[in-house]
Amino acid sequence: MTGSTAATFTADDYRARMERAARAAAEAGLAGLLVAPGPDLVWLTGYTPPAVTERLTLLVLAAGQDPVLVVPALEAPDAHRAAGAAALTLRDWTDGKDPYAATAALLDASGRFGISDNAWALHLLALQQALPGSSYASLTEALPMLRAVKDAAELDLMTAAGAAADATFEEIRNVPFAGRRESEVAADLDRLLRGHGHEQVDFTIVASGPNGANPHHEAGERVIARGDMIVLDFGGLRDGYGSDTSRTVHVGEPTDEERRVHDIVREAQEAGFRAVGPGAACQDVDRAARRVIADAGYGEYFIHRTGHGIGVTTHEPPYMIEGEERPLVPGMCFSVEPGIYLPGRFGVRIEDIVTVTEDGGRRLNTTTRELVIVE
């Protein structure tokens, strides 16, 4: 994370988030939330520990109680400088002391707590030993929508991240493809994303020819040739908020079949986007996109969900998938990314990040969804 995210949000913003999280925990029947270092802690407090170590760092939230951040004494000065520090109490502990006893004193001994998915087993097991009557649920299970609805400032950052990814695509479409390795084009994507303000690049998929039939292909040493269809999927974090976009390009003129498959995916992506609106179920987006592909006879070749949430991480709830009946709410941000993958031949994927508005949806990626010809 860069410092610019912290500069965007004030202590009052973080206080409001912590209060909202504590209320949501109580409404879910939890005694509180235990938040370890990671994206949840950054989102709630603006604090990223200087290093990931075995020393316990844990934010304790409970309705009706002031937030407390338990930190190692040697990292307390950094915690005090966090943007949200004024909205919580810091309780430090020194090496040789028992941080779990100090944390247990803040907790309901028989309570059920939501705990960060990425909390170390070392810390969870020690807390269970200190409080044998306590129990725990992962935050994704207990409060999957905790970060799902973005406020206006977050949406501004998401929009800027999307625009940076779009600018990257506009440049990458003009670089040479034929005769170069996938890994070389992936390095170009990494460089361009960083040049457009990304502090973190999470993925740069360059899947050419038959590799395009693998949705999560990692760019390798295959040399791109004329006649290749190429799936480009790239993104990361800019000012702490995520980008993620996919476009499919072709080296030289495509065949009629390649154009037809691309057109089907483009129509499916448009159908998924048009299904977005307040009150629609997440699965409605998946159904709309999947129906177009199935009706065209390629249903068995669309092998993944239509979308995933995005925010301070590039993959998070909600998910656009059959069986997810959760309603869409203004401020949610997620991908709409149908694809067709023909084993041993080629693949096509088109992806935009979309945010739910009061009367529909708004794309955060606006580059052309037509098949782009590259050299």
Side-chain angles (χ1 to χ4, degrees):
M1 301 283 177
T2 63
S4 52
T5 304
T8 300
F9 303 110
T10 67
D12 286 340
D13 293 322
Y14 291 112
R15 180 179 292 107
R17 289 179 186 178
M18 288 188 281
E19 289 174 352
R20 175 153 60 93
R23 285 196 304 272
E27 291 167 1
L30 298 171
L33 301 180
L34 306 178
V35 185
D40 291 315
L41 186 64
V42 175
W43 184 76
L44 287 163
T45 68
Y47 176 54
T48 301
V52 177
T53 74
E54 73 284 359
R55 293 183 174 92
L56 179 71
T57 295
L58 202 66
L59 174 67
V60 178
L61 297 177
Q65 299 180 21
D66 291 336
V68 176
L69 181 61
V70 178
V71 295
L74 75 169
E75 295 173 4
D78 297 289
H80 275 291
R81 287 192 289 270
L88 49 77
T89 298
L90 269 72
R91 184 163 301 179
D92 61 22
W93 61 276
T94 57
D95 287 353
K97 303 293 184 181
D98 183 354
Y100 306 107
T103 304
L106 304 171
L107 307 179
D108 177 348
S110 59
R112 181 169 177 78
F113 297 90
I115 189 166
S116 299
D117 295 10
N118 57 336
W120 285 24
L122 170 74
H123 301 319
L124 177 56
L125 292 171
L127 283 173
Q128 287 178 316
Q129 185 173 11
L131 296 172
S134 63
S135 60
Y136 303 85
S138 74
L139 281 188
T140 291
E141 172 193 340
L143 293 176
M145 296 295 105
L146 181 62
R147 305 192 315 255
V149 178
K150 277 64 177 176
D151 62 25
E154 290 181 294
L155 287 173
D156 285 346
L157 291 170
M158 292 290 299
T159 300
D166 283 356
T168 294
F169 177 71
E170 294 295 357
E171 292 192 49
I172 200 70
R173 62 185 289 183
N174 293 315
V175 307
F177 280 79
R180 302 178 69 210
R181 293 182 175 84
E182 292 174 339
S183 58
E184 293 177 289
V185 178
D188 287 341
L189 284 170
D190 186 293
R191 172 181 55 79
L192 290 169
L193 284 168
R194 294 182 190 279
H196 288 290
H198 281 63
E199 69 272 11
Q200 177 177 314
V201 175
D202 288 345
F203 44 87
T204 52
I205 293 173
V206 179
S208 64
N211 289 340
N214 176 2
H216 281 173
H217 171 73
E218 292 197 10
E221 296 309 295
R222 183 181 186 275
V223 176
I224 298 167
R226 291 192 67 80
D228 279 349
M229 191 83 93
I230 308 171
V231 178
L232 303 174
D233 184 346
F234 49 94
L237 299 182
R238 182 185 186 278
D239 289 343
Y241 280 77
S243 70
D244 185 0
T245 189
S246 300
R247 293 292 185 264
T248 300
V249 302
H250 196 278
V251 186
E253 284 301 314
T255 65
D256 289 345
E257 181 190 21
E258 288 170 330
R259 280 198 180 277
R260 183 172 66 255
V261 170
H262 190 277
D263 285 345
I264 292 165
V265 174
R266 181 169 51 81
E267 291 169 13
Q269 207 270 348
E270 177 67 20
F273 170 69
R274 291 190 179 280
V276 174
C282 291
Q283 68 180 5
D284 292 342
V285 179
D286 182 81
R287 287 175 175 178
R290 199 168 298 277
R291 186 178 304 115
V292 172
I293 292 174
D295 287 350
Y298 290 91
E300 66 182 293
Y301 303 110
F302 181 10
I303 56 177
H304 55 73
R305 65 197 175 202
T306 293
H308 58 82
I310 185 170
V312 294
T313 59
T314 48
H315 287 75
E316 62 187 42
Y319 298 103
M320 307 301 113
I321 190 170
E322 180 66 31
E324 179 52 87
E325 299 179 350
R326 194 179 309 277
L328 300 180
V329 176
M332 284 182 174
C333 296
F334 49 84
S335 66
V336 178
E337 52 176 307
I340 293 175
Y341 308 94
L342 302 178
R345 301 183 62 205
F346 65 90
V348 175
R349 182 164 64 256
I350 300 172
E351 174 185 14
D352 295 325
I353 299 304
V354 173
T355 185
V356 184
T357 64
E358 295 296 334
D359 57 0
R362 174 170 66 92
R363 284 185 166 105
L364 303 188
N365 297 108
T366 59
T367 55
T368 182
R369 284 168 285 280
E370 300 290 337
L371 182 56
V372 170
I373 307 302
V374 298
E375 296 300 325

